[in-house]
Amino acid sequence: MPVARPETSDSRIIAHVDMDCFYVQVEQRKQPHLRGQPTAVVQYNSWKGGGLIAVGYEARKDGVKRSMRGDEAKKVCPQIQLVQVPVARGKADLTIYRNAGSEVVSILARKGRCERASIDEVYLDLTEAAEAMLKETPLESLESIDEEVLKSHVLGLSVNGNDEKEIVREWLTRRDADHRDKLLACGAIIVAELRMQVLRETEFTCSAGIAHNKMLAKLASGMNKPAQQTIVTLASVKGLLEPLPIKKMKQLGGKLGSSLQTDLGVDTVGDLLQFSVEKLQDLYGSNTGTWLWNVARGISGDEVEGRLLPKSHGSGKTFPGVRALKTVAAVEKWLKELCEELSERLQLDLETNKRVAHTLTLHAHAYKSTDTDSHKKFPSKSCPLRYGAGKILEDSVNLFQAGLCEFLGSYMNSADGGWGITNLSVTASKIVAVPSGTCSITKYFHGQDRFHASLEPSDEKFAPEDDNLSTSMTESRSASHQTEIGGEQPQITHDTSSFDQYETTCKDEASANCSTSKHHEPQPRLPEKERNTNDGKRSYEQKRKAPKEKGTSSILRFLQPSSCSSSNQEAKCLSSGVQEAFGMESESLTESQNKRRTDSWRYNVDDIDQSVVEELPPELQEEVRTWLRPQKQVKANTEKRGSSIAHYFSPNKNEHTNPKKS
DNA sequence: ACGGTTTATACT
DNA sequence: TAGTATAAA
């Protein structure tokens, strides 16, 4: 898992931004009366009051912990407000939190390369921005520095609590500071500004760490919460790491960390320093070994990825204890729920980000009651992903049955086999941007009769739902090369290609809206009007004026429940507006759809006449030929069901046809 | 088998 | 590759 990367360019400026008890903040924005009250978000289990998945800071003061059940929390803190995670299709639905996370990402992505690390965490590479700032404004000449910056925690600076801010100001503006510390100071200024922007535009507070690499930035972001930022100076690194319990380091919280403790007696990061690279490589392999050696010294070359969107979508549920699923029928029922959720999210991703997923994977946990050794591993299975809830369900059921057979072994297939499923999940991965490219091959499939006819859709009719699917699959291949260059920068403006038109006419206005929007915003599309006219404007003014008055620009100011009373109402409107905007029709499987959910369009590769290719415009010929080349793979896949063109474009093939980043 | 549900990544 | 394992939030 940990992989050693050479420290490339030195003196990068990296920030890690971490939302404070994020789910709680989301709920407090939705229900402003909860602000200032001890609150926690629970996942409704009806067992002991549900499990807490986020705890607000007021409740933490009262001793409420994340590992508690709702009932225990009530005991410790009787006034606690427990908010349930929304439920849809019989399972927890995290949509509102995902969308809120995307709001934040779209703001943080403004200043530099941005990596969405989780639903509520982001890494930023601010190197260029910091260098630019330092170049044009020498820090020592800075006269006004925002309060929020002055409240930064500078590691290694006097803990003498008296005039903290003046000391920080002094540090920030020190003429003889190391160049790298000056860059950090610039980073801190930028991050403070970004955090204030996040607060203004989303009402969420966050904490941040500013350092020279991801590892240290991440470490620092958690050191002063909530709503504060921490700078890891060069000089502080050694003292910071030395006494740090080894398990606090990212990647060492699990078995590897335990091994270091029990096998090597390494309890702190400092303890690691005594081991030579060779020794560590010897013990843990060359990658992990050098990685560990670097960790001990605060060295980490991991790059900020520049990815605003998730790489996979999954939907899953556990069925603990007696609730374990014991019949295939029960499994199918729940697979249907999971697949519908997944399909909806895939559809949304396609519409708003123009991306398609290529692989479907089913995971399960199961037990056999015959084995007292209850928990066996249920094999995960995957297959090419076909769009449409019905197809995803069909494929998932097949994957499950394949897995079940393996799980149960040769036979034991009988009625009361005595097995149970305790966890089920479906995941869509290998998501690639479908080019909105100018060189769209789609029109040849839809527009040109000859080509269309020769390709012969394998089956009779196709559900409309499926249709647009194959369209996108097809297109995705074609344009892969041209797009892939900048990585998948999802929010590229899309022109109105034939694909876009097609999709737009087929889909609801939400998508139409999105294709015409020029905003480069990640996933969920905020209701722009609402945001800008209602909320955006208000907070904008608030902020503009705030910095003038002394001490008011602080982020803490926004935290006071009383001070934002005027905004509460608007906040409420806003959030319901958000919800509305995201309410999407769920694609339910009608009876008829299920009946003829035969495969959409399939083009049997073997049926494609070479002469057809020659009739294409030259620039497309090349493209198509590359698709047709790897016949071998196809054969393998063909036995079960006809191969589709989509199958040719298995993602790995991209790597050959795509000029990766040059 | 219970903090549950997601995501990511490396290894094989 | 697909499948497994580990880690984190």
Side-chain angles (χ1 to χ4, degrees), chain A residues 5-7 10 213 215-216 237 241 290-302:
Chain A
R5 245 145 213 142
E7 187 93 31
D10 237 3
N213 61 50
M215 179 182 76
L216 295 174
V237 174
L241 294 182
T290 55
W291 181 82
L292 284 169
W293 190 89
N294 285 328
V295 162
R297 289 151 185 83
I299 298 170
S300 152
D302 281 3

Side-chain angles (χ1 to χ4, degrees), chain A residues 444-460:
Chain A
Y444 291 97
F445 286 84
H446 289 299
Q448 309 232 332
D449 285 354
R450 278 174 310 165
F451 192 77
H452 194 262
S454 322
L455 282 175
E456 249 180 311
S458 69
D459 297 311
E460 62 289 0

Side-chain angles (χ1 to χ4, degrees), chain A residues 136-145 172-175:
Chain A
E136 64 185 64
T137 48
L139 285 170
E140 55 268 27
S141 71
L142 231 62
E143 58 222 23
S144 82
I145 299 182
L172 289 166
T173 58
R174 242 179 36 193
R175 190 179 306 267

Side-chain angles (χ1 to χ4, degrees), chain A residues 385-438:
Chain A
L385 188 151
R386 303 179 296 150
Y387 273 62
K391 290 184 189 140
I392 295 174
L393 174 58
E394 179 190 338
D395 292 340
S396 296
V397 168
N398 287 337
L399 293 177
F400 172 77
Q401 298 210 319
L404 185 60
C405 290
E406 247 176 71
F407 175 73
L408 293 177
S410 25
Y411 40 86
M412 184 184 211
N413 211 356
S414 61
D416 190 38
W419 49 270
I421 300 296
T422 56
N423 180 85
L424 259 188
S425 78
V426 288
T427 301
S429 60
K430 308 205 174 144
I431 303 179
V432 306
V434 351
S436 52
T438 54

Side-chain angles (χ1 to χ4, degrees), chain A residues 296-523:
Chain A
R297 289 151 185 83
I299 298 170
S300 152
D302 281 3
E303 296 268 339
V304 173
E305 286 273 318
R307 181 176 44 77
L308 306 183
L309 300 174
K311 302 176 114 171
S312 65
H313 300 289
S315 177
K317 180 168 176 59
T318 62
F319 308 93
V322 292
R323 281 189 289 182
L325 310 180
K326 301 202 176 62
T327 68
V328 172
V331 168
E332 283 176 353
K333 164 186 179 281
W334 281 106
L335 277 181
K336 181 164 183 286
E337 308 296 331
L338 300 177
C339 290
E340 282 176 0
E341 183 192 324
L342 180 61
S343 177
E344 192 175 298
R345 284 163 58 191
L346 286 171
Q347 200 64 40
L348 189 61
D349 200 347
L350 173 59
E351 284 160 8
T352 96
N353 303 315
K354 302 267 185 278
R355 305 194 305 168
V356 286
H358 286 281
T359 302
L360 174 69
T361 306
L362 179 132
H363 291 273
H365 289 177
Y367 64 81
K368 276 188 280 207
S369 43
T370 59
D371 290 338
T372 51
D373 162 32
S374 46
H375 243 325
K376 276 297 241 285
K377 26 207 104 227
F378 194 96
S380 63
K381 296 285 169 196
S382 55
C383 70
L385 188 151
R386 303 179 296 150
Y387 273 62
K391 290 184 189 140
I392 295 174
L393 174 58
E394 179 190 338
D395 292 340
S396 296
V397 168
N398 287 337
L399 293 177
F400 172 77
Q401 298 210 319
L404 185 60
C405 290
E406 247 176 71
F407 175 73
L408 293 177
S410 25
Y411 40 86
M412 184 184 211
N413 211 356
S414 61
D416 190 38
W419 49 270
I421 300 296
T422 56
N423 180 85
L424 259 188
S425 78
V426 288
T427 301
S429 60
K430 308 205 174 144
I431 303 179
V432 306
V434 351
S436 52
T438 54
C439 166
S440 162
I441 195 164
T442 316
K443 57 188 160 209
Y444 291 97
F445 286 84
H446 289 299
Q448 309 232 332
D449 285 354
R450 278 174 310 165
F451 192 77
H452 194 262
S454 322
L455 282 175
E456 249 180 311
S458 69
D459 297 311
E460 62 289 0
K461 48 246 163 171
F462 44 91
E465 152 200 307
D466 305 344
D467 188 7
N468 101 40
L469 212 296
S470 345
T471 302
S472 42
M473 299 291 251
T474 303
E475 169 119 290
S476 100
R477 265 72 253 353
S478 76
S480 296
H481 10 145
Q482 41 169 203
T483 1
E484 196 49 72
I485 300 195
E488 4 105 36
Q489 228 41 348
Q491 276 66 50
I492 310 164
T493 33
H494 11 279
D495 61 329
T496 318
S497 68
S498 64
F499 173 71
D500 288 332
Q501 282 171 356
Y502 188 77
E503 183 186 351
T504 306
T505 52
C506 286
K507 282 311 196 174
D508 54 23
E509 3 175 56
S511 91
N513 215 350
C514 130
S515 344
T516 54
S517 159
K518 43 198 121 163
H519 284 242
H520 302 191
E521 215 175 355
Q523 186 132 67

Side-chain angles (χ1 to χ4, degrees), chain A residues 579-594:
Chain A
Q579 284 179 321
E580 235 170 42
F582 289 118
M584 294 220 18
E585 52 167 12
S586 58
E587 61 184 306
S588 54
L589 310 170
T590 68
E591 190 64 66
S592 64
Q593 273 173 326
N594 265 330

